[in-house]
Amino acid sequence: MTSPVPQDGVPEAIDPDVDLHVPAQRAETAGARKWPVLAAISAGGVAGALARYAASLRWPAAEGAFPWATLWVNVLGCALIGVLMVLVGEGGRSASAHPLARPFLGVGVLGGFTTFSTYALDVTELLAHTEAGMALAYAGGTLAGAMGAVWLAASATRAALK
């Protein structure tokens, strides 16, 4: 969590992850200061969820079929989270990142775009259709793809910024 008070006159990016046990972090979202953060997260969440819904309409999965759209949405979202964390979380705070960039893009847009609940539902439905092998491949493939996408995108972004 960063201080909402700029150290050098440049507002820092707001980290929406608040440890409520730390008074300084708890104070960061106290009172009226929480509303812009919550509004940014809400607006971003709507945009991300609509984008994911559009993908599910564009590439629907038949019953018992491999849910490719959800897999690629999660992998793409994780890659974008890797890029965002490098740009906003690693040195981007003192650069030109808007203070609400991380809550809007990270928690809102990408949090709404990626989906754990649909992933879990897809695995459950594959198992219900006695597609245990496909369910296991989907579960493992999504996990490996998402983690690999974050690592690859973050590494590529760091290399591009050098």
Side-chain angles (χ1 to χ4, degrees):
M1 192 97 184
T2 62
S3 170
V5 178
Q7 301 286 329
D8 56 0
V10 178
E12 293 185 6
I14 294 173
D15 184 350
D17 301 327
V18 175
D19 183 349
L20 296 176
H21 295 95
V22 178
Q25 291 186 13
R26 192 173 53 238
E28 192 170 311
T29 57
R33 285 188 255 174
K34 66 184 168 212
W35 297 116
V37 176
L38 292 175
I41 291 170
S42 298
V46 168
L50 286 174
R52 177 168 42 89
Y53 180 66
S56 72
L57 292 178
R58 178 72 175 99
W59 299 288
E63 281 192 34
F66 196 89
W68 287 105
T70 305
L71 182 135
W72 287 115
V73 159
N74 283 330
V75 169
L76 175 62
C78 287
L80 294 172
I81 288 170
V83 171
L84 180 68
M85 291 302 105
V86 171
L87 294 177
V88 175
E90 297 177 13
R93 293 178 181 197
S94 61
S96 60
H98 188 279
L100 295 175
R102 186 171 171 184
F104 176 74
L105 295 171
V107 179
V109 173
L110 296 175
F113 184 64
T114 57
T115 173
F116 183 78
S117 59
T118 303
Y119 163 70
L121 179 63
D122 289 343
V123 170
T124 302
E125 287 181 356
L126 288 172
L127 290 172
H129 285 89
T130 63
E131 297 287 351
M134 191 183 305
L136 184 61
Y138 175 61
T142 297
L143 179 63
M147 298 299 286
V150 169
W151 176 81
L152 184 62
S155 297
T157 303
R158 285 186 193 108
L161 294 176
K162 285 185 179 180

PDB file of all heavy atoms in Angstrom, residues 95-114:
ATOM      1  N   ALA A  95       6.436   7.294 -11.517  1.00  0.00           N
ATOM      2  CA  ALA A  95       6.428   7.766 -12.906  1.00  0.00           C
ATOM      3  C   ALA A  95       5.074   8.386 -13.229  1.00  0.00           C
ATOM      4  O   ALA A  95       4.547   9.161 -12.458  1.00  0.00           O
ATOM      5  CB  ALA A  95       6.747   6.602 -13.839  1.00  0.00           C
ATOM      6  N   SER A  96       4.521   8.019 -14.332  1.00  0.00           N
ATOM      7  CA  SER A  96       3.314   8.691 -14.792  1.00  0.00           C
ATOM      8  C   SER A  96       2.030   7.914 -14.515  1.00  0.00           C
ATOM      9  O   SER A  96       0.993   8.264 -15.056  1.00  0.00           O
ATOM     10  CB  SER A  96       3.436   8.953 -16.285  1.00  0.00           C
ATOM     11  OG  SER A  96       3.589   7.724 -16.962  1.00  0.00           O
ATOM     12  N   ALA A  97       2.075   6.876 -13.689  1.00  0.00           N
ATOM     13  CA  ALA A  97       0.866   6.099 -13.413  1.00  0.00           C
ATOM     14  C   ALA A  97      -0.123   6.937 -12.609  1.00  0.00           C
ATOM     15  O   ALA A  97       0.237   7.573 -11.622  1.00  0.00           O
ATOM     16  CB  ALA A  97       1.217   4.829 -12.651  1.00  0.00           C
ATOM     17  N   HIS A  98      -1.357   6.923 -13.048  1.00  0.00           N
ATOM     18  CA  HIS A  98      -2.419   7.611 -12.309  1.00  0.00           C
ATOM     19  C   HIS A  98      -2.627   6.887 -10.977  1.00  0.00           C
ATOM     20  O   HIS A  98      -2.510   5.658 -10.919  1.00  0.00           O
ATOM     21  CB  HIS A  98      -3.706   7.597 -13.136  1.00  0.00           C
ATOM     22  CG  HIS A  98      -4.782   8.438 -12.558  1.00  0.00           C
ATOM     23  ND1 HIS A  98      -5.586   8.000 -11.535  1.00  0.00           N
ATOM     24  CD2 HIS A  98      -5.171   9.704 -12.839  1.00  0.00           C
ATOM     25  CE1 HIS A  98      -6.438   8.960 -11.208  1.00  0.00           C
ATOM     26  NE2 HIS A  98      -6.201  10.012 -11.994  1.00  0.00           N
ATOM     27  N   PRO A  99      -2.942   7.597  -9.922  1.00  0.00           N
ATOM     28  CA  PRO A  99      -3.123   6.934  -8.625  1.00  0.00           C
ATOM     29  C   PRO A  99      -4.186   5.833  -8.644  1.00  0.00           C
ATOM     30  O   PRO A  99      -4.114   4.885  -7.874  1.00  0.00           O
ATOM     31  CB  PRO A  99      -3.542   8.075  -7.695  1.00  0.00           C
ATOM     32  CG  PRO A  99      -3.047   9.308  -8.334  1.00  0.00           C
ATOM     33  CD  PRO A  99      -3.036   9.052  -9.822  1.00  0.00           C
ATOM     34  N   LEU A 100      -5.162   5.931  -9.519  1.00  0.00           N
ATOM     35  CA  LEU A 100      -6.221   4.917  -9.559  1.00  0.00           C
ATOM     36  C   LEU A 100      -5.998   3.883 -10.661  1.00  0.00           C
ATOM     37  O   LEU A 100      -6.901   3.079 -10.942  1.00  0.00           O
ATOM     38  CB  LEU A 100      -7.583   5.595  -9.740  1.00  0.00           C
ATOM     39  CG  LEU A 100      -8.007   6.495  -8.569  1.00  0.00           C
ATOM     40  CD1 LEU A 100      -9.301   7.203  -8.892  1.00  0.00           C
ATOM     41  CD2 LEU A 100      -8.123   5.705  -7.283  1.00  0.00           C
ATOM     42  N   ALA A 101      -4.828   3.884 -11.282  1.00  0.00           N
ATOM     43  CA  ALA A 101      -4.556   2.944 -12.375  1.00  0.00           C
ATOM     44  C   ALA A 101      -4.633   1.503 -11.889  1.00  0.00           C
ATOM     45  O   ALA A 101      -5.271   0.662 -12.532  1.00  0.00           O
ATOM     46  CB  ALA A 101      -3.194   3.211 -12.999  1.00  0.00           C
ATOM     47  N   ARG A 102      -3.997   1.202 -10.786  1.00  0.00           N
ATOM     48  CA  ARG A 102      -3.988  -0.184 -10.307  1.00  0.00           C
ATOM     49  C   ARG A 102      -5.372  -0.640  -9.839  1.00  0.00           C
ATOM     50  O   ARG A 102      -5.804  -1.733 -10.217  1.00  0.00           O
ATOM     51  CB  ARG A 102      -2.952  -0.367  -9.198  1.00  0.00           C
ATOM     52  CG  ARG A 102      -2.806  -1.792  -8.787  1.00  0.00           C
ATOM     53  CD  ARG A 102      -1.655  -1.998  -7.858  1.00  0.00           C
ATOM     54  NE  ARG A 102      -1.715  -3.358  -7.347  1.00  0.00           N
ATOM     55  CZ  ARG A 102      -0.914  -3.852  -6.461  1.00  0.00           C
ATOM     56  NH1 ARG A 102       0.050  -3.122  -5.978  1.00  0.00           N
ATOM     57  NH2 ARG A 102      -1.040  -5.070  -6.047  1.00  0.00           N
ATOM     58  N   PRO A 103      -6.101   0.154  -9.041  1.00  0.00           N
ATOM     59  CA  PRO A 103      -7.457  -0.296  -8.679  1.00  0.00           C
ATOM     60  C   PRO A 103      -8.352  -0.469  -9.901  1.00  0.00           C
ATOM     61  O   PRO A 103      -9.112  -1.446  -9.978  1.00  0.00           O
ATOM     62  CB  PRO A 103      -7.982   0.806  -7.760  1.00  0.00           C
ATOM     63  CG  PRO A 103      -6.778   1.480  -7.238  1.00  0.00           C
ATOM     64  CD  PRO A 103      -5.737   1.366  -8.316  1.00  0.00           C
ATOM     65  N   PHE A 104      -8.289   0.463 -10.861  1.00  0.00           N
ATOM     66  CA  PHE A 104      -9.159   0.374 -12.030  1.00  0.00           C
ATOM     67  C   PHE A 104      -8.771  -0.790 -12.929  1.00  0.00           C
ATOM     68  O   PHE A 104      -9.608  -1.644 -13.260  1.00  0.00           O
ATOM     69  CB  PHE A 104      -9.128   1.687 -12.827  1.00  0.00           C
ATOM     70  CG  PHE A 104      -9.931   1.630 -14.090  1.00  0.00           C
ATOM     71  CD1 PHE A 104     -11.320   1.652 -14.061  1.00  0.00           C
ATOM     72  CD2 PHE A 104      -9.304   1.534 -15.326  1.00  0.00           C
ATOM     73  CE1 PHE A 104     -12.073   1.574 -15.224  1.00  0.00           C
ATOM     74  CE2 PHE A 104     -10.033   1.461 -16.497  1.00  0.00           C
ATOM     75  CZ  PHE A 104     -11.422   1.481 -16.445  1.00  0.00           C
ATOM     76  N   LEU A 105      -7.498  -0.833 -13.342  1.00  0.00           N
ATOM     77  CA  LEU A 105      -7.070  -1.847 -14.303  1.00  0.00           C
ATOM     78  C   LEU A 105      -6.836  -3.218 -13.662  1.00  0.00           C
ATOM     79  O   LEU A 105      -7.259  -4.240 -14.212  1.00  0.00           O
ATOM     80  CB  LEU A 105      -5.794  -1.389 -15.014  1.00  0.00           C
ATOM     81  CG  LEU A 105      -5.948  -0.158 -15.902  1.00  0.00           C
ATOM     82  CD1 LEU A 105      -4.583   0.326 -16.383  1.00  0.00           C
ATOM     83  CD2 LEU A 105      -6.869  -0.452 -17.066  1.00  0.00           C
ATOM     84  N   GLY A 106      -6.147  -3.239 -12.529  1.00  0.00           N
ATOM     85  CA  GLY A 106      -5.800  -4.519 -11.920  1.00  0.00           C
ATOM     86  C   GLY A 106      -6.972  -5.196 -11.237  1.00  0.00           C
ATOM     87  O   GLY A 106      -7.387  -6.293 -11.621  1.00  0.00           O
ATOM     88  N   VAL A 107      -7.508  -4.535 -10.218  1.00  0.00           N
ATOM     89  CA  VAL A 107      -8.608  -5.150  -9.460  1.00  0.00           C
ATOM     90  C   VAL A 107      -9.895  -5.120 -10.274  1.00  0.00           C
ATOM     91  O   VAL A 107     -10.628  -6.103 -10.317  1.00  0.00           O
ATOM     92  CB  VAL A 107      -8.800  -4.417  -8.113  1.00  0.00           C
ATOM     93  CG1 VAL A 107      -9.949  -5.028  -7.332  1.00  0.00           C
ATOM     94  CG2 VAL A 107      -7.520  -4.457  -7.303  1.00  0.00           C
ATOM     95  N   GLY A 108     -10.164  -3.998 -10.936  1.00  0.00           N
ATOM     96  CA  GLY A 108     -11.418  -3.842 -11.664  1.00  0.00           C
ATOM     97  C   GLY A 108     -11.447  -4.584 -12.984  1.00  0.00           C
ATOM     98  O   GLY A 108     -12.067  -5.647 -13.099  1.00  0.00           O
ATOM     99  N   VAL A 109     -10.775  -4.040 -13.996  1.00  0.00           N
ATOM    100  CA  VAL A 109     -10.866  -4.605 -15.354  1.00  0.00           C
ATOM    101  C   VAL A 109     -10.361  -6.055 -15.389  1.00  0.00           C
ATOM    102  O   VAL A 109     -11.082  -6.961 -15.828  1.00  0.00           O
ATOM    103  CB  VAL A 109     -10.084  -3.739 -16.370  1.00  0.00           C
ATOM    104  CG1 VAL A 109     -10.046  -4.424 -17.732  1.00  0.00           C
ATOM    105  CG2 VAL A 109     -10.710  -2.352 -16.489  1.00  0.00           C
ATOM    106  N   LEU A 110      -9.149  -6.277 -14.924  1.00  0.00           N
ATOM    107  CA  LEU A 110      -8.593  -7.628 -15.037  1.00  0.00           C
ATOM    108  C   LEU A 110      -9.188  -8.584 -14.007  1.00  0.00           C
ATOM    109  O   LEU A 110      -9.306  -9.782 -14.274  1.00  0.00           O
ATOM    110  CB  LEU A 110      -7.073  -7.578 -14.946  1.00  0.00           C
ATOM    111  CG  LEU A 110      -6.424  -6.798 -16.108  1.00  0.00           C
ATOM    112  CD1 LEU A 110      -4.922  -6.663 -15.910  1.00  0.00           C
ATOM    113  CD2 LEU A 110      -6.751  -7.444 -17.446  1.00  0.00           C
ATOM    114  N   GLY A 111      -9.588  -8.057 -12.864  1.00  0.00           N
ATOM    115  CA  GLY A 111     -10.295  -8.892 -11.891  1.00  0.00           C
ATOM    116  C   GLY A 111     -11.664  -9.318 -12.407  1.00  0.00           C
ATOM    117  O   GLY A 111     -12.119 -10.432 -12.157  1.00  0.00           O
ATOM    118  N   GLY A 112     -12.334  -8.432 -13.139  1.00  0.00           N
ATOM    119  CA  GLY A 112     -13.625  -8.773 -13.722  1.00  0.00           C
ATOM    120  C   GLY A 112     -13.491  -9.623 -14.971  1.00  0.00           C
ATOM    121  O   GLY A 112     -14.380 -10.401 -15.307  1.00  0.00           O
ATOM    122  N   PHE A 113     -12.382  -9.455 -15.670  1.00  0.00           N
ATOM    123  CA  PHE A 113     -12.158 -10.208 -16.911  1.00  0.00           C
ATOM    124  C   PHE A 113     -11.807 -11.663 -16.616  1.00  0.00           C
ATOM    125  O   PHE A 113     -12.384 -12.581 -17.191  1.00  0.00           O
ATOM    126  CB  PHE A 113     -11.042  -9.535 -17.719  1.00  0.00           C
ATOM    127  CG  PHE A 113     -10.786 -10.153 -19.054  1.00  0.00           C
ATOM    128  CD1 PHE A 113     -11.761 -10.148 -20.044  1.00  0.00           C
ATOM    129  CD2 PHE A 113      -9.562 -10.716 -19.345  1.00  0.00           C
ATOM    130  CE1 PHE A 113     -11.525 -10.721 -21.284  1.00  0.00           C
ATOM    131  CE2 PHE A 113      -9.307 -11.277 -20.584  1.00  0.00           C
ATOM    132  CZ  PHE A 113     -10.292 -11.282 -21.560  1.00  0.00           C
ATOM    133  N   THR A 114     -10.853 -11.883 -15.718  1.00  0.00           N
ATOM    134  CA  THR A 114     -10.479 -13.247 -15.371  1.00  0.00           C
ATOM    135  C   THR A 114     -11.547 -13.828 -14.450  1.00  0.00           C
ATOM    136  O   THR A 114     -12.284 -13.098 -13.795  1.00  0.00           O
ATOM    137  CB  THR A 114      -9.113 -13.289 -14.667  1.00  0.00           C
ATOM    138  OG1 THR A 114      -9.165 -12.451 -13.514  1.00  0.00           O
ATOM    139  CG2 THR A 114      -8.005 -12.821 -15.596  1.00  0.00           C
TER     140      THR A 114
END
